[in-house]
Amino acid sequence: MFVLIAAAGLGLLTLLVIVFAPNISNNLWSLLNRKYAAGGVCKSSARLDGKTVLITGANTGIGKETALDLAVRGARVIMACRDVEKGEEAAASIRASYSQAQVEVRELDLADTCSIRAFAQQFLREVNHLHILINNAGVMMCPYTKTIDGFEMHIGVNHLGHFLLTSLLIGLLKRSAPARIVVVSSLAHNFGWIRFHDLHSQGSYNSGLAYCQSKLANVLFARELARRLKGTNVTVNSVHPGTVNSDLTRHSTLMTIFFTVFAMFLKTPREGAQTSIYCAVAEELHSISGKHFSDCAPAFVAPQGRSEETARRLWDASCELLGIEWD
């Protein structure tokens, strides 16, 4: 029992350090200013009329706010959600905010490769173009659980699910070029390491470290995919949305309480969506690829997130786990 409590405490401490240390170290007093907490804002007025956008996890949080913003810009927005009922509620909310919104909901469970393949198969049959793919969905601080395919939940949903989805849609993205892929990562990648000897945390498990590993995997995936897509006019960038007050902490009671108490110091989902929106629409990023952004500006990437060797090794390991070939 003591070991379990200690492990849970370490997981919480890891996330608290990740979440609040940067703000404290940058400017403790500015943290008390709500405007500072809000972060950068996407100032682009770019229109997306005639463009098709796919956003995973768009039924809540920054995914929903991203969907609303891009719909207002004229895009056809496809909201890929595990819970279709909640997705439809989110879509209705978007239409209530903007009556001309072209939003539709499709079922996608990133914890099930069969669901991902079925989604992609139907998508490719019914959608002729895909100009923007935003890999937004994610889980955080889960108790130890596995996906349908036996992957640890963080690496399975946050990385492998999106890796497979992107591989299945990459041909359509290339045919729709210019196109963009946005991968939602986190500052947490700074604290992550790819544990190739135990990717699924079967030897030992810490929910905070498992989350950090998956967020590092997001950064490495974006950088390696960008390298492989050179010359295709399809760009890939990763983003840190900031510390956002959303239901992402739902698996941790302590984190939920902490976020509730300190809500005034956190970004709202709308504020957290700004960097994803920026990377999806900003005209000045039309040829920028393989970079990492936060607060609508280039952001620091940890040394382990810049390792080409690790990125290629993770790519190969991901293909092997998913049983796919993606050169």
Side-chain angles (χ1 to χ4, degrees):
M1 179 62 71
F2 175 77
V3 174
L4 291 176
I5 294 174
L10 180 58
L12 175 62
L13 179 60
T14 300
L15 261 295
L16 294 182
V17 169
I18 291 168
V19 165
F20 289 102
N23 288 348
I24 293 173
S25 62
N26 285 337
N27 193 326
L28 178 60
W29 295 109
S30 293
L31 182 60
L32 301 177
N33 185 304
R34 185 67 191 84
K35 184 176 181 180
Y36 174 81
V41 176
C42 177
K43 298 179 180 178
S44 172
S45 59
R47 295 288 304 173
L48 296 176
D49 302 287
K51 303 295 184 181
T52 300
V53 177
L54 172 61
I55 307 174
T56 65
N59 62 295
T60 187
I62 66 174
K64 178 183 174 183
E65 293 296 333
T66 302
L68 171 59
D69 184 281
L70 301 187
V72 170
R73 294 172 187 269
R76 174 192 181 189
V77 179
I78 298 171
M79 305 164 65
C81 309
R82 181 179 59 84
D83 189 323
V84 174
E85 183 177 350
K86 289 183 178 180
E88 291 293 357
E89 290 175 1
S93 174
I94 291 173
R95 295 187 194 101
S97 298
Y98 181 63
S99 61
Q100 299 179 56
Q102 302 176 65
V103 291
E104 56 192 84
V105 177
R106 297 188 179 219
E107 183 176 3
L108 171 65
D109 184 354
L110 289 163
D112 182 354
T113 58
C114 288
S115 173
I116 298 169
R117 293 181 185 279
F119 170 89
Q121 186 176 35
Q122 182 179 3
F123 190 94
L124 293 172
R125 279 200 312 265
E126 300 175 356
V127 181
N128 296 322
H129 298 92
L130 179 58
H131 304 96
I132 301 171
L133 168 62
I134 302 181
N135 290 334
N136 167 82
V139 295
M140 184 176 82
M141 295 288 286
C142 297
Y144 186 75
T145 49
K146 293 184 178 182
T147 68
I148 297 296
D149 301 276
F151 308 139
E152 185 278 318
M153 191 62 69
H154 290 93
I155 199 73
V157 170
N158 297 353
H159 169 61
L160 292 171
H162 283 122
F163 188 98
L164 177 59
L165 176 66
T166 306
S167 74
L168 295 170
L169 300 180
I170 197 65
L172 182 59
L173 283 157
K174 288 179 179 179
R175 294 192 296 275
S176 306
R180 302 187 189 194
I181 301 171
V182 180
V183 179
V184 178
S185 179
S186 169
L187 184 73
H189 86 271
N190 285 274
F191 301 85
W193 297 94
I194 305 299
R195 304 172 71 232
F196 287 106
H197 67 286
D198 190 17
L199 272 178
H200 304 295
S201 304
Q202 297 180 97
S204 63
Y205 181 70
N206 177 286
S207 59
L209 296 180
Y211 176 72
C212 294
Q213 175 182 239
S214 71
K215 294 292 99 178
L216 174 60
N218 290 154
V219 171
L220 291 167
F221 171 50
R223 292 172 70 89
E224 178 64 10
L225 181 56
R227 185 185 70 80
R228 292 168 181 259
L229 290 177
K230 284 182 180 178
T232 65
N233 212 11
V234 178
T235 62
V236 192
N237 292 295
S238 59
V239 306
H240 165 53
T243 308
V244 182
N245 190 8
S246 71
D247 67 352
L248 192 60
T249 60
R250 63 187 178 276
H251 295 291
S252 171
T253 301
L254 290 177
M255 286 292 288
T256 299
I257 294 172
F258 198 89
F259 270 45
T260 300
V261 172
F262 292 95
M264 67 178 294
F265 301 133
L266 309 178
K267 289 184 178 183
T268 65
R270 181 180 180 183
E271 292 162 349
Q274 294 303 304
T275 305
S276 293
I277 296 167
Y278 173 73
C279 288
V281 306
E283 297 90 335
E284 63 268 27
L285 299 185
H286 70 93
S287 62
I288 302 299
S289 193
K291 305 301 181 183
H292 185 61
F293 292 84
S294 178
D295 283 331
C296 302
F300 173 78
V301 175
Q304 63 269 32
R306 301 194 298 266
S307 170
E308 292 186 4
E309 179 182 355
T310 303
R312 291 172 182 173
R313 188 178 176 189
L314 178 62
W315 184 283
D316 291 340
S318 300
C319 287
E320 183 175 353
L321 285 167
L322 293 166
I324 64 174
E325 293 184 8
W326 188 5
D327 298 323

